[in-house]
Amino acid sequence: PPDKINLGSNLNSNNISLISNQFKTEKFTFINDFFCPDTFDSLSNSFPHEVFFNYPKNGSKFYSWSDESRWCNSKDKKLMKRPSREFLEIYPTYQKLYDFLDSEEMSEKVKSITNSSEASLYSIALSRAQEGSFLSPHIDTITTPENLKPGEKVMMNFIYFLLAGGSTPEKSGGTGLYLDNEFKKPIFIPSPLRNSALLYDSIEQFYHGFDLMAPGSFRWAIVFQFKIS
């Protein structure tokens, strides 16, 4: 595994204001070269084998996700989750990644981007998607900014696109933001789907999802959530 997980230059102190300004006005932002090249290479070269993944059991999405590697810091003991010992022994690079995402350094970056006073890691999930995969456009929450209670924490969603292949982002698992639930009114379609991350505020009424993936396409992604206030 790498000695250290390092963020890309777009997230250094000189450049992060561009990202935070977009997030302030749009309530989402897209970050290219999220990790430095060495970290990206380590993550992509050791992305977990498909035996660690399974498929969801509902009709609104079809792609594989990894329960073995899931991390969740919920106060609800039923939701609290840590990766299996077997998974971490086989993939020590991902132990390094999880430790970094749960670090003060990453918390400070999230606070800088979102202009918040607190930011704590809530969850991490790995997913694989390929030909025939899809995620129906949906909204994460029914809560609106107007109904937010004083002091209530808000979830920030990062979709980190590690690696993908296909003709277009729309048909290669590029989770986009939409005004509708039929992929007809796109707000933002991410590109490239390589070492890049889409961050959006879950309280905003964004539909998000990806259309049926084309033959020969694939996508590896890491989704992580921070609670901010």
Side-chain angles (χ1 to χ4, degrees):
D3 292 333
K4 188 177 186 297
I5 300 293
N6 292 303
L7 294 170
S9 59
N10 285 333
L11 284 164
N12 66 29
S13 56
N14 295 326
N15 298 327
I16 201 167
S17 61
L18 298 173
I19 295 167
S20 61
N21 286 339
Q22 183 187 20
F23 185 82
K24 182 178 180 179
T25 56
E26 313 250 9
K27 299 303 180 185
F28 73 87
T29 189
F30 186 67
I31 308 165
N32 276 310
D33 298 324
F34 191 84
F35 290 113
C36 76
D38 286 349
T39 294
F40 164 71
D41 287 343
S42 295
L43 293 172
S44 55
N45 289 338
S46 63
F47 194 71
H49 190 274
E50 59 188 20
V51 298
F52 284 97
F53 293 79
N54 52 278
Y55 283 92
K57 298 176 180 178
N58 67 60
S60 64
K61 55 186 175 183
F62 185 70
Y63 60 90
S64 55
W65 56 280
S66 173
D67 190 56
E68 289 281 323
S69 63
R70 182 146 175 81
W71 190 104
C72 185
N73 203 34
S74 174
K75 293 179 180 178
D76 184 339
K77 290 184 178 180
K78 293 181 180 178
L79 298 176
M80 175 71 80
K81 188 82 168 62
R82 291 295 184 270
S84 69
R85 179 180 298 179
E86 179 188 14
F87 174 82
L88 295 177
E89 287 177 350
I90 296 174
Y91 299 106
T93 295
Y94 281 80
Q95 174 73 78
K96 293 268 190 179
L97 174 67
Y98 288 25
D99 290 345
F100 174 78
L101 292 176
D102 195 30
S103 70
E104 187 65 25
E105 179 183 350
M106 188 63 192
S107 174
E108 289 298 321
K109 291 296 182 184
V110 175
K111 287 192 285 186
S112 294
I113 295 170
T114 60
N115 192 31
S116 54
S117 57
E118 293 183 29
S120 57
L121 182 66
Y122 176 74
S123 71
I124 307 170
L126 310 185
S127 71
R128 281 176 170 263
Q130 54 277 320
E131 176 182 341
S133 294
F134 66 88
L135 174 62
S136 300
H138 63 285
I139 295 174
D140 282 331
T141 177
I142 58 173
T143 303
T144 62
E146 294 77 21
N147 293 333
L148 194 64
K149 299 174 183 177
E152 185 176 352
K153 292 190 175 183
V154 178
M155 198 76 81
M156 297 291 118
N157 292 342
F158 285 84
I159 303 173
Y160 173 67
F161 302 102
L162 175 58
L163 202 59
S167 57
T168 64
E170 293 91 335
K171 294 293 185 178
S172 305
T175 305
L177 303 178
Y178 297 85
L179 291 172
D180 70 320
N181 63 356
E182 296 180 337
F183 299 112
K184 292 179 179 178
K185 298 178 180 179
I187 299 169
F188 180 78
I189 307 295
S191 180
L193 303 180
R194 178 189 175 93
N195 193 24
S196 59
L198 174 63
L199 163 63
Y200 65 93
D201 186 340
S202 69
I203 203 170
E204 295 298 317
Q205 302 300 287
F206 294 131
Y207 285 94
H208 60 280
F210 59 88
D211 209 346
L212 193 70
M213 291 177 62
S217 62
F218 78 94
R219 187 206 72 178
W220 298 346
I222 304 169
V223 177
F224 45 98
Q225 297 176 303
F226 277 80
K227 282 188 172 183
I228 70 164
S229 60

